[in-house]
Amino acid sequence: MFVKELNINVIEAAERRILEAFNKNKVLAVSFSGGKDSICMCDVLIKTMRKYGIPFSRIMVVFFDEEAIYPDVEAIAMEWRSRFLALGAKFYWFCLPIRHYNCCNRLENDESFICWEPGKESVWVRPMPKFAIRNHSMFRLGMSYQEFGKKIFQSVPPMVGLRVAESIQRRQSIAAIKTSKFFYPIYDWRDNDVWLYIKLNNLNIPMTYIYLYKTGVPLNKLRISQFFSIDTIKTLPKVMEFYPDLYERIIRREPNADLVMLYWDTDMFRSSRQDKKFELDKDKDYRVILRDAMKNATLHPDMYPGYKSAKKLYSIMSGKESPKTCHKIYQMLIAGDPKKRTYRSLIGDIYRDKGGGV
């Protein structure tokens, strides 16, 4: 690994990457989520800037408030907002009607949740902070945060606390996007590095992590996101024991959440029959199947939920793709990919099939 070759630890490596980012850019955007990884990244960032006398006016911190978040995540975000503002940095707390994946609507065509949705103020999970930014000239109702982020980060490259150890999709995405303008200071940190850094530096983290751990979630699976994601919904019933009034607010906001919290791990939401439908058939040529399906999708795009993403992937294919990769693109084309996880994974697959490795 890079760190081992230089004979330095992960903290020193992160510091070097941060300095490199400032050497290449006058101003940087810092993506903050309130989670453990962004907390570690921001702590290293602040210490590095102080150590080398880098003015905090050179950073703008961005926080996308997803509305359906735990109270202690909001409290942590508030804490870091105050800290950055006191140092002289700009802090943009966005409360925009951004579209997120919603597993509660798995049985419907629209698998989305619009946070801070206009017209639904009476059922919002929590009140919107008074200082929040509620609109932006580049934002359009229903944009995903990736789509909006792509626009606002065009001129100001972002620093993100993403780590490859979190998932194979993230590892493939970072490996594939060689020309990315994003900076990942802690991309090679492992779970143990994160927890040890938090302990040694006495950092506050959302108590939800502790609650999740108490309910049996392994350390390497601790994730915090908006309530209606597949990772959160399955642990929500247990975690709600620590938040007495949370259940009523969630059901009021998303009535289907009650059903999913009871049956998320059954065939109702993870249909084995549907999975069999998309199993790889070794007797079929998925290159040809994908080609024919793309032709039909071009004529009738509304009939193919994953057409837009599949079209982008199809345009960068070299012809060397494996049957498995073609099959996955075909599956995404006809089944859709609301959260774009399959899309990000497939970018790495296509790059690997070309011989670029991951």
Side-chain angles (χ1 to χ4, degrees):
M1 290 178 63
F2 172 72
V3 174
K4 290 183 178 180
E5 290 177 356
L6 292 180
N7 194 30
I8 59 176
N9 61 43
V10 292
I11 301 175
E12 293 169 329
E15 181 180 296
R16 291 192 183 189
R17 294 174 191 130
I18 290 171
L19 288 175
E20 181 184 3
F22 280 110
N23 289 335
K24 291 181 178 180
N25 301 275
K26 292 183 178 180
V27 180
L28 290 171
V30 179
S31 179
F32 182 77
S33 68
K36 62 186 188 304
D37 296 339
S38 65
I39 288 173
C40 288
M41 181 193 72
C42 287
D43 192 71
V44 176
L45 170 66
I46 288 175
K47 289 176 179 175
T48 301
M49 294 180 72
R50 281 176 166 168
K51 179 178 178 180
Y52 293 94
I54 301 172
F56 284 90
S57 58
R58 292 181 62 183
I59 62 172
M60 48 178 284
V61 186
V62 178
F63 173 64
F64 291 109
D65 189 332
E66 299 176 320
E67 181 205 331
I69 61 176
Y70 291 104
D72 50 327
V73 175
E74 180 182 14
I76 289 291
M78 290 281 193
E79 175 187 323
W80 279 88
R81 174 179 179 270
S82 298
R83 185 176 179 185
F84 274 114
L85 290 176
L87 291 168
K90 295 179 180 178
F91 196 105
Y92 296 90
W93 187 302
F94 286 111
C95 285
L96 302 171
I98 290 176
R99 174 173 50 83
H100 292 275
Y101 173 70
N102 181 7
C103 73
C104 299
N105 289 338
R106 186 73 179 270
L107 301 181
E108 301 178 15
N109 290 328
D110 183 15
E111 296 181 279
S112 63
F113 160 68
I114 306 295
C115 61
W116 307 114
E117 187 171 358
K120 294 189 176 181
E121 289 83 355
S122 62
V123 295
W124 282 348
V125 174
R126 40 180 272 275
M128 181 185 293
K130 294 181 180 179
F131 54 78
I133 300 172
R134 305 184 180 202
N135 54 64
H136 193 281
S137 59
M138 295 184 183
F139 181 78
R140 299 292 179 271
L141 178 64
M143 273 186 172
S144 66
Y145 70 87
Q146 292 96 338
E147 292 170 333
F148 179 55
K150 189 175 181 180
K151 289 182 177 293
I152 64 174
F153 296 142
Q154 282 181 341
S155 58
V156 184
M159 186 174 291
V160 185
L162 181 149
R163 298 184 299 115
V164 296
E166 286 281 89
S167 68
I168 185 63
Q169 289 92 344
R170 293 184 176 188
R171 183 181 305 138
Q172 292 174 331
S173 296
I174 291 180
I177 307 174
K178 297 280 188 177
T179 59
S180 173
K181 294 182 179 179
F182 285 48
F183 292 96
Y184 307 106
I186 64 168
Y187 82 91
D188 55 351
W189 286 33
R190 298 185 179 183
D191 295 320
N192 288 341
D193 297 322
V194 171
W195 294 116
L196 181 60
Y197 186 87
I198 289 171
K199 179 180 180 181
L200 294 178
N201 291 275
N202 196 29
L203 298 178
N204 289 332
I205 60 171
M207 282 299 296
T208 300
Y209 284 119
I210 308 301
Y211 300 152
L212 289 171
Y213 185 69
K214 286 182 177 179
T215 63
V217 179
L219 279 174
N220 64 341
K221 297 293 183 181
L222 293 176
R223 306 281 189 276
I224 291 181
S225 61
Q226 54 91 1
F227 297 146
F228 310 125
S229 72
I230 194 63
D231 292 330
T232 305
I233 200 74
K234 60 188 179 183
T235 56
L236 200 53
K238 295 180 180 179
V239 176
M240 281 195 305
E241 296 175 9
F242 302 96
Y243 302 99
D245 65 334
L246 185 58
Y247 179 79
E248 291 184 5
R249 287 185 283 132
I250 291 175
I251 299 303
R252 183 179 60 189
R253 184 68 168 95
E254 175 51 77
N256 288 338
D258 188 32
L259 186 65
V260 183
M261 284 191 283
L262 291 173
Y263 302 108
W264 72 270
D265 59 347
T266 68
D267 285 352
M268 180 181 292
F269 291 94
R270 294 191 172 188
S271 172
S272 59
R273 291 187 295 274
Q274 186 182 36
D275 292 340
K276 281 187 176 182
K277 178 181 178 182
F278 294 126
E279 284 182 358
L280 185 64
D281 188 336
K282 295 181 180 180
D283 295 327
K284 295 182 179 180
D285 188 339
Y286 280 96
R287 294 184 181 87
V288 175
I289 292 174
L290 176 61
R291 182 196 64 196
D292 293 342
M294 285 301 299
K295 287 181 179 179
N296 291 332
T298 302
L299 298 174
H300 308 285
D302 293 340
M303 297 176 62
Y304 293 82
Y307 174 64
K308 289 184 179 180
S309 295
K311 183 180 178 182
K312 291 179 182 179
L313 294 174
Y314 199 68
S315 67
I316 64 174
M317 290 176 62
S318 65
K320 297 181 180 179
E321 286 71 29
S322 66
K324 184 177 179 180
T325 299
C326 293
H327 172 257
K328 288 170 67 177
I329 297 175
Y330 169 71
Q331 177 179 335
M332 183 186 70
L333 172 66
I334 63 176
D337 182 29
K339 207 170 183 180
K340 295 190 180 298
R341 282 183 171 176
T342 302
Y343 174 79
R344 294 193 293 270
S345 173
L346 279 165
I347 291 177
D349 291 342
I350 291 174
Y351 180 75
R352 181 199 61 213
D353 291 340
K354 287 181 180 179
V358 291

